[in-house]
Amino acid sequence: MNGRPGGVSRPVILLLGVAAGFGTAPLWDFDVWFHLACGRAIAAAHALPARDLFSFTAADRPWDTHEWLFAAGLYLLHRAAGVAGLAALKTVVLAATLWLMLRRAVRNSADPWIAAAACAAAAFTMRWLVVERPQLLTGAFVAGALLLLERGGWWPWLLAPLTVLEANVHGGAALLAPFVTILWSLGELADPRRRAAAGAGLGGRALLAAVLAAAVCCNPAGGRLFVYPWTTMADRLYMANVREWTPPSWEETPASFVFLAATLAAIAVTIRRRNPSDLVTAGAFVALSLASRRHVGLAVIALVPPFAAAATELAARAAVPPLVRGAAATAGAGLLLALAAWRGEALRVGVRADLYPAEAVAALGGSGRGLAPGRDVRLYALHRWGGYASWHLPARWKVFIDGRQLVYGPELFADYSRILEDAPEAPALLARYAPDVFVIEYGTGLGRRLAADPASALVRWDDRCLVYVRRSAADPAWLR
């Protein structure tokens, strides 16, 4: 790479700063909490739980803790270093992901400064996906897989142990390994320059894809991992109501559309010089990202190398001096980081407490035996708050639902939604599940029902939520 002060590449230093900035964004994701709770349970039992531990609605259902390695590691890191440790994890993994993207771009004849600028823009575009969840490591996994496949030879076989690791970090996401291998091989067959060699090595690539598919099964869930992604996507109500599974929109994620448009424009102008394997793989990820915003990061990771190579060619045509490229890359990265920091999305280690029912949960946790004495407390909270409650409340508090859709299934999520919306079935469902405590937002149908119900008492309210308690579940003295 160019511009090495003392043997260290300046573009790499720039990306380390970018990673530190976006890696120190405040904790805002909702699912991180049930990963922490799961990790705590694994550490306490020195074993993987076989059945659900956190809910009263699915306590009898099997639970494949297929992301156990991430949950256990996240919990141990949090126990040792708190939220700052989680920020350090995000920074290190994002730095590794950006470095792998930069390496691929430079291998594809991209100028290092232009490649660094593309990586910085990518980090800004996918900053909402740099969270304390398995997806964080999946980004590095995909970036590494693409680099190994591009290098060819025996390098792609390193994907086998990496896929075993990914299968226990992010479960079904390990299927990306055989998927990307097949896409890359199709691109090689489409390239006239490599068609003969690719055809001769097709048997080896087919064997590699089969080995990677087998490696996916090296997980407590085994072959069920092949079914889990389709099970999730088949639940239409869940897919329509959980934001990360909905398509990206210009109003909420304009950066993804700008990045995609710029990339496609640069590649289109230089299409003849682009690697067909890059185009096939990136095209597949772009299609996935347009269907679900949770895949935007994977599309960006796949697009950066061809984008940087195309932008380098355009800069050469315009005779842009190297000094200008470096200055523009540094200034652009700084501006993007400053914009994110101004929006509270970077350079701010901590927890976005305004997104969670923090004060309400803390008050309920201190209620002692005033609620449901002698048994578990049944808590109906918003789907996205379930994990937060499981992590912060004592073990006897059991939630109605949280983000583990594979545990609850479509019927239970539908029941949760009917209760929240106060659908005609809500009274029967409330009688069936009999929650003791409700932690909900303002303006819901359920809130209006509880407000008019003499059997329920409003015991707490703040700017974030309302807390209702069934009078029959509370000690009268506690209610007073």
Side-chain angles (χ1 to χ4, degrees):
M1 293 183 188
N2 296 334
R4 290 175 175 266
V8 180
S9 170
R10 291 191 183 99
V12 171
I13 294 175
L14 174 64
L15 291 185
L16 288 176
V18 170
F22 289 113
T24 52
L27 192 158
W28 63 269
D29 189 78
F30 296 103
D31 287 356
V32 59
W33 305 107
F34 70 70
H35 286 298
L36 285 170
C38 176
R40 180 174 59 191
I42 292 171
H46 299 285
L48 303 184
R51 295 187 175 275
D52 180 45
L53 302 175
F54 305 127
S55 75
F56 66 91
T57 52
D60 59 337
R61 297 186 185 181
W63 177 22
D64 286 329
T65 49
H66 53 281
E67 296 170 348
W68 69 272
L69 186 58
F70 178 82
L74 192 73
Y75 167 70
L76 294 175
L77 179 60
H78 184 272
R79 187 174 69 177
V83 174
L86 303 189
L89 171 67
K90 291 190 295 182
T91 298
V92 169
V93 176
L94 179 58
T97 304
L98 295 177
W99 180 80
L100 291 167
M101 293 157 61
L102 184 70
R103 283 291 304 271
R104 280 197 64 225
V106 173
R107 282 179 56 86
N108 283 271
S109 303
D111 175 85
W113 281 116
I114 292 178
C119 289
F124 179 82
T125 302
M126 62 181 184
R127 66 194 184 281
W128 289 114
L129 305 172
V130 182
V131 293
E132 304 80 357
R133 290 176 62 185
Q135 287 89 331
L136 176 70
L137 294 170
T138 296
F141 174 69
V142 169
L146 291 171
L147 179 61
L148 293 173
L149 288 166
E150 185 175 85
R151 297 193 67 168
W154 61 270
W155 288 97
W157 287 95
L158 290 178
L159 278 173
L162 291 176
T163 300
V164 173
L165 185 65
E166 174 69 4
N168 292 279
V169 167
H170 196 192
L175 291 169
L176 290 170
F179 175 67
V180 170
T181 299
I182 292 170
L183 290 174
W184 194 268
S185 301
L186 291 175
E188 290 177 330
L189 290 172
D191 187 349
R193 298 166 297 178
R194 297 186 294 168
R195 187 174 297 152
L202 194 59
R205 284 295 170 85
L207 177 60
L208 174 60
V211 169
L212 296 178
V216 173
C217 299
C218 297
N219 175 282
R224 290 189 294 276
L225 281 189
F226 287 92
V227 179
Y228 285 168
W230 315 113
T231 300
T232 299
M233 289 186 286
D235 187 348
R236 294 187 178 182
L237 181 65
Y238 180 86
M239 296 285 285
N241 284 276
V242 177
R243 180 172 296 180
E244 68 179 69
W245 284 103
T246 59
S249 66
W250 173 259
E251 292 76 14
E252 294 181 305
T253 57
S256 61
F257 290 96
V258 172
F259 186 91
L260 178 59
T263 300
L264 295 180
I267 291 175
V269 175
T270 62
I271 189 69
R272 293 184 179 180
R273 295 176 61 85
R274 303 284 67 81
N275 180 352
S277 291
D278 266 333
L279 300 181
V280 170
T281 306
F285 280 124
V286 167
L288 288 173
S289 72
L290 293 176
S292 168
R293 66 187 68 194
R294 70 179 274 141
H295 297 128
V296 166
L298 300 181
V300 167
I301 288 167
L303 283 169
V304 160
F307 175 40
T312 296
E313 186 174 338
L314 295 175
R317 292 180 189 178
V320 179
L323 183 62
V324 173
R325 299 177 188 182
T330 304
L335 285 173
L336 291 175
L337 195 55
L339 175 60
W342 176 71
R343 293 166 56 94
E345 301 163 0
L347 297 170
R348 188 176 297 182
V349 176
V351 178
R352 283 281 308 275
D354 59 302
L355 297 176
Y356 309 102
E359 295 180 4
V361 167
L364 290 171
S367 62
R369 293 290 169 176
L371 287 170
R375 62 172 176 83
D376 290 341
V377 183
R378 299 186 292 266
L379 170 65
Y380 180 101
L382 296 188
H383 163 265
R384 62 181 184 271
W385 291 343
Y388 183 87
S390 293
W391 170 250
H392 287 90
L393 289 171
R396 78 185 190 100
W397 285 76
K398 306 298 182 183
V399 299
F400 189 102
I401 199 169
D402 53 39
R404 296 168 300 146
Q405 188 267 353
L406 291 171
V407 174
Y408 299 103
E411 287 302 320
L412 193 53
F413 188 83
D415 286 349
Y416 156 81
S417 300
R418 293 182 187 112
I419 292 173
L420 185 63
E421 297 164 2
D422 197 25
E425 306 92 336
L429 292 172
L430 286 169
R432 172 184 169 189
Y433 292 112
D436 301 311
V437 181
F438 301 82
V439 179
I440 56 177
E441 289 181 312
Y442 290 83
T444 65
L446 175 60
R448 289 187 289 272
R449 171 175 288 277
L450 294 174
D453 183 4
S456 301
L458 178 63
V459 297
R460 183 180 179 84
W461 60 93
D462 54 38
D463 292 340
R464 194 75 196 95
C465 65
L466 301 166
V467 179
Y468 284 91
V469 172
R470 287 294 191 190
R471 296 182 184 275
S472 59
D475 186 327
W478 183 86
L479 281 178
R480 291 197 294 269

